[in-house]
């Protein structure tokens, strides 16, 4: 156990709450460890119903390990819910499954007064890949019942409290979508090296109040692991490339 006042060495455990929000036009995830190998550092933002802004720092695919049925046990009870183009938003209250999930799946929502809150099935064969937790276990939100945390991690504590009303929404503007596609088409999302930063690079980041340590924290990387430090430097160079070659996007 860490001594009082001492900061933990590694990143915090991932948020376990994945909420389906039919009004959201995008998916968002709080923690870097949810993402797969196609993760791309990218600075953007999402908004909520009140116009509040939450920073986006990346994007990628998330494969959620889920429980497919509340009545099944054994290997057949485990499944994978694949979410594409998930935005990395560390400051979001919880993880959000938005309306784009229905491109590949059917979402069936039961009445909030019932413990049979609903489930998610594949569009191609109708098989169940996930179900929602009973509403009696928390607030009246459609929360996916997860199976396992990301490899090498343990679940953190849910930020959602029972008998509390929440407005869970995330909107990603068409302008920001076009901006990402332009960056992707220009090849500016690829890493340009993981070697130590040069003096001029350090000065560039210093003027923008960024450092290797702050990037490590923001992206949930462990400063004590050399491969994480290399990833941190790669992320910094990608962000620098974006800033110096920012495309002009029409409103």
């Amino acid at each position: 156990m860490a001594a009082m006042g001492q900061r933990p060495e590694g990143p915090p455990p991932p948020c376990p709450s994945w909420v389906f929000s039919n009004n959201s036009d995008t998916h968002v995830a709080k923690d870097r460890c949810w993402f797969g190998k196609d993760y791309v550092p990218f600075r953007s933002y999402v908004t909520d119903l009140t116009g509040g802004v939450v920073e986006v720092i990346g994007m990628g695919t998330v494969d959620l390990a889920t429980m497919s049925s509340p009545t099944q046990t054994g290997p057949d009870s485990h499944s994978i819910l694949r979410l594409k183009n998930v935005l990395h938003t560390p400051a979001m209250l919880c993880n959000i499954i938005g309306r784009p999930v229905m491109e590949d799946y059917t979402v069936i929502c039961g009445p909030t007064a019932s413990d049979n809150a609903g489930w998610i099935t594949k569009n191609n064969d109708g098989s169940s890949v996930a179900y929602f937790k009973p509403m009696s276990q928390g607030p009246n939100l459609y929360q996916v019942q997860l199976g396992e945390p990301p490899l090498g991690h343990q679940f953190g504590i849910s930020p959602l409290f029972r008998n509390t009303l929440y407005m869970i929404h995330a909107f990603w503007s068409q302008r920001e979508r076009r901006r990402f596609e332009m960056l992707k088409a220009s090849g500016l999302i690829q890493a340009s090296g993981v070697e130590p930063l040069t003096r001029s690079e350090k000065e560039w980041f210093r003027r923008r109040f960024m450092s290797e340590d702050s990037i490590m924290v923001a992206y949930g990387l462990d400063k004590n692991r050399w491969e994480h430090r290399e990833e941190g430097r790669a992320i910094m160079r990608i962000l620098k490339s974006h800033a110096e070659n920012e495309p002009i996007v029409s409103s």
Side-chain angles (χ1 to χ4, degrees):
M1 179 179 295
M4 184 175 295
Q6 180 178 342
R7 295 183 64 182
E9 288 297 317
C15 171
S17 301
W18 283 85
V19 174
F20 172 63
S21 169
N22 184 50
N23 291 324
S24 297
D25 64 7
T26 188
H27 312 303
V28 301
K30 286 176 60 64
D31 305 285
R32 171 67 175 86
C33 60
W34 290 111
F35 292 88
K37 294 182 179 180
D38 67 345
Y39 180 84
V40 175
F42 170 65
R43 289 190 174 273
S44 183
Y45 64 91
V46 293
T47 56
D48 59 23
L49 280 177
T50 65
V53 175
V54 179
E55 183 184 26
V56 170
I57 63 172
M59 175 193 281
T61 299
V62 170
D63 285 336
L64 285 182
T66 55
M67 302 298 293
S68 59
S69 169
T71 58
Q72 282 184 315
T73 58
D76 291 341
S77 64
H78 296 267
S79 190
I80 296 292
L81 175 63
R82 170 161 287 190
L83 304 175
K84 304 171 185 174
N85 301 320
V86 183
L87 301 177
H88 184 192
T89 56
M92 189 66 72
L93 174 64
C94 65
N95 309 298
I96 298 176
I97 300 173
R99 194 166 56 249
V101 70
M102 290 185 279
E103 295 171 5
D104 301 302
Y105 302 93
T106 296
V107 180
I108 303 169
C109 296
T112 57
S114 170
D115 268 358
N116 183 13
W119 55 95
I120 299 176
T121 62
K122 291 182 180 178
N123 284 344
N124 59 356
D125 61 11
S127 61
S128 176
V129 295
Y131 69 92
F132 296 122
K133 295 180 181 181
M135 296 290 181
S136 60
Q137 295 184 8
N140 287 341
L141 296 170
Y142 292 102
Q143 298 185 68
V144 167
Q145 178 63 61
L146 300 182
E148 299 176 347
L151 184 64
H153 296 266
Q154 294 182 336
F155 284 134
I157 299 173
S158 173
L160 304 175
F161 295 95
R162 194 172 178 178
N163 301 322
T164 301
L165 296 177
Y166 293 97
M167 296 178 64
I168 306 294
H169 302 94
F171 306 105
W172 197 34
S173 72
Q174 290 299 319
R175 184 184 185 280
E176 287 299 294
R177 293 171 193 263
R178 291 195 302 271
R179 178 171 159 261
F180 175 77
E181 289 302 322
M182 292 175 69
L183 283 170
K184 184 177 179 181
S186 67
L188 296 175
I189 62 174
Q190 303 298 322
S192 59
V194 296
E195 63 275 2
L197 299 177
T198 65
R199 180 178 298 180
S200 63
E201 286 176 324
K202 290 180 180 179
E203 177 61 20
W204 190 93
F205 288 111
R206 187 193 66 78
R207 292 197 302 269
R208 289 156 181 81
F209 305 101
M210 298 169 65
S211 67
E212 287 191 61
D213 284 347
S214 67
I215 288 295
M216 297 286 287
V217 171
Y219 285 86
L221 301 172
D222 187 342
K223 66 180 181 180
N224 296 312
R225 295 175 59 179
W226 65 267
E227 69 272 24
H228 280 207
R229 297 204 72 91
E230 287 188 341
E231 182 178 351
R233 291 193 290 268
I235 288 171
M236 294 178 78
R237 289 189 169 105
I238 291 173
L239 296 177
K240 182 173 182 290
S241 177
H242 289 180
E244 292 177 334
N245 301 278
E246 181 69 24
I248 298 175
V249 183
S250 58
S251 302

